[in-house]
Amino acid sequence: MKRFGATQWDTHEGYFIGLNSKIPIDLERMTRAFEETINRHASFRTTFHWDERKGKLLQTIHPSVNVHNYSIVDLSDEPNAYKKAYDMSRLKLGFTLFAKDKLPLISSVMFKLGGGAYAFNITVHHIMTDETSLGIFFYDLFQLYVHGIGSLPPVQLHYSDFSDWLIRTADRRAELHDEQLKYWSKKLDGVQPLVLTLAKPSEVEQSPVTQIDSSALKRYNNYVATTSATSFAAFFAAYNLLLYKYSAQNPFVVGTAVTQRSMAQLQDVIGFFANMLPIRTTIEDDTTFAEYLKMFRYDLVTDLSNDDVTLEDIVSQTKTSSQDRSYFKHLFAPGGLNMRIVNRLDASDITTTAVISLPNGEEKYEFLLTVHYKTGEVILRFDNYLYTEEAARQFLDAYCGLIDTLGRNPHVKIGDISAVSANEHSRLVKELSTSGLVNPVESKLRQLVEAQAKRTPTTVAIEFEDQYLTYAQLNSKTNRLARLLSQQGVGPDSIAAVCFERGIPQILAILAILGAGGAFLPLDPDDPTLRKEMLIVDTNAKILLTTYSKRRDFDKALASKVIVSDSSKYNPFGG
């Protein structure tokens, strides 16, 4: 990694917090509270610079920070001030760029909305804080605002103290580290990333937000209270169930963030303690949701007890292929910033009205679902280059509908549960059904593959055993082979024979022949060789596509008409 890339690398998150205050907020007092909060915590006073001699980043903790990027915007005269503040916060997130060698790695905007309403936008670099840390940040901020500068005791521990402890105890924790890596290696053996059927392209950066119906939320929470499962496990299980309904894949993995604040002394420390874990699950249609929740809760507790290793360690230990270094593309997150800040604000003249993670235009995952168990607010962040807002909204509504269904009857068999929300079901039945004639829209198979490759190039198109091709790879290889076939005379009114066992080369061969304009003659590899040769001669097939092992079965007279593929290799037909 070069110096510029190391110091300019930027991954940040934005948060939007809505507030109501019974008395007007003193903006100057709030500014001083913000500056004091930043300077209290070493993480906010930290930068990283590149050391040419050592060839790595080094950390510097500064004695103080001159806060210059805190601003206040008065939107009280705007007709829809709340939406304006939210839109400005989203726009600011897209244009924010932190450099790790420049202080501070946090910026904030306070919006005055009128009528006692306010909002905060916080944008922060992820190298020095996590969502739990932001809860601590807001707790300190409003404590200092309400009770005055100096009302909080000095911070006793900082994230750098935790980092030093990790280094000093690395040898003593090595045995535990190795044991947990073995656990994850066994747990994740043979699992492939989940593939959904909703994937479509979008150029719109959106983050659908909805709310579970209050009666449905109450019923589900009441049911969860009768089980041994936590709300985290219960809402996570419902998310898994919906993913299963949309993919029919088993087993699969969903990621979730956990905190490494295992010691009481770390509860008030601001820093990046978050760790991602790959939670594997298997769902069977003939079990009830209540039965699945019981099993999932047990598996989840076991997984979380093996959280002393990082996701990077797990992947490097268990993934050997460079084709796909991930176990999951979908995440579940509990409650966002729903922490001590809520209690603190509700105890004063200030109350929270919204705590929202802002959509990230460069989201690395397909879906990230955040659920606030108490309020019922559900937020879905998604890869806007892979999913349309309509598809994301459909999934989100289906999740809310699923919570309602499970709250009414948790003992329903999973195979009997619908993945379609009531509104979507009504739309499909009433709006899209028709008794008239429907004119079919005809498209060539190759054209459909090419169109899908443009829409979702990185989505898996075909998969067989441990091999797979994305739509982009499938389209590229098919086009390459189709050009070769055309050079060999395959085209309209011509036939090419294919002789393969089941697998990716068989699909490639058929698509390439169709792409060249020809027709294909399928040959059963188990038929007698003479019968296969007679079919080739009788149909006047211009060429035969088969494997190296099958080629030896055919008469030498056909040798000039054979294109072979080594089906044991990842890249059939080359490339």
Side-chain angles (χ1 to χ4, degrees), residues 1 3 49-58:
M1 182 184 292
R3 178 191 184 281
H49 68 277
W50 182 260
D51 188 296
E52 293 289 355
R53 185 174 59 85
K54 295 183 178 180
K56 63 180 182 180
L57 284 174
L58 295 181

Side-chain angles (χ1 to χ4, degrees), residues 181-227:
L181 281 181
K182 291 178 183 177
Y183 167 84
W184 288 110
S185 180
K186 181 178 180 180
K187 179 90 179 199
L188 300 172
D189 182 44
V191 179
Q192 296 297 327
L194 189 71
V195 179
L196 298 186
T197 58
L198 290 167
K200 291 182 179 180
S202 173
E203 297 178 356
V204 181
E205 296 178 8
Q206 294 288 341
S207 179
V209 179
T210 190
Q211 195 152 358
I212 302 172
D213 177 75
S214 58
S215 58
L217 180 68
K218 182 178 180 180
R219 276 193 300 270
Y220 191 66
N221 279 327
N222 287 342
Y223 159 66
V224 173
T226 67
T227 71

Side-chain angles (χ1 to χ4, degrees), residues 264-280:
Q265 302 95 310
L266 300 176
Q267 298 307 307
D268 294 329
V269 177
I270 286 183
F272 190 79
F273 291 89
N275 182 29
M276 201 74 69
L277 289 182
I279 308 300
R280 172 175 173 161

Side-chain angles (χ1 to χ4, degrees), residues 98-240:
F98 291 116
K100 291 201 293 297
D101 54 355
K102 299 288 190 301
L103 281 174
L105 297 179
I106 183 173
S107 65
S108 178
V109 178
M110 180 178 174
F111 299 97
K112 184 179 180 181
L113 307 180
Y118 299 84
F120 279 89
N121 165 224
I122 297 292
T123 305
V124 61
H125 198 294
H126 247 331
I127 197 171
M128 34 69 77
T129 189
D130 53 19
E131 285 198 346
T132 301
S133 297
L134 287 176
I136 300 168
F137 167 81
F138 275 104
Y139 175 82
D140 284 7
L141 175 65
F142 285 97
Q143 180 84 346
L144 292 169
Y145 172 78
V146 172
H147 299 288
I149 303 301
S151 58
L152 289 175
V155 178
Q156 298 298 317
L157 284 177
H158 296 278
Y159 188 73
S160 55
D161 300 315
F162 172 69
S163 300
D164 291 341
W165 175 81
L166 286 178
I167 295 173
R168 292 196 308 271
T169 60
D171 292 339
R172 295 202 300 270
R173 291 183 292 105
E175 185 176 347
L176 174 64
H177 183 272
D178 292 342
E179 289 179 359
Q180 293 193 3
L181 281 181
K182 291 178 183 177
Y183 167 84
W184 288 110
S185 180
K186 181 178 180 180
K187 179 90 179 199
L188 300 172
D189 182 44
V191 179
Q192 296 297 327
L194 189 71
V195 179
L196 298 186
T197 58
L198 290 167
K200 291 182 179 180
S202 173
E203 297 178 356
V204 181
E205 296 178 8
Q206 294 288 341
S207 179
V209 179
T210 190
Q211 195 152 358
I212 302 172
D213 177 75
S214 58
S215 58
L217 180 68
K218 182 178 180 180
R219 276 193 300 270
Y220 191 66
N221 279 327
N222 287 342
Y223 159 66
V224 173
T226 67
T227 71
S228 59
T230 62
S231 295
F232 171 62
F235 284 88
F236 195 165
Y239 181 50
N240 289 341

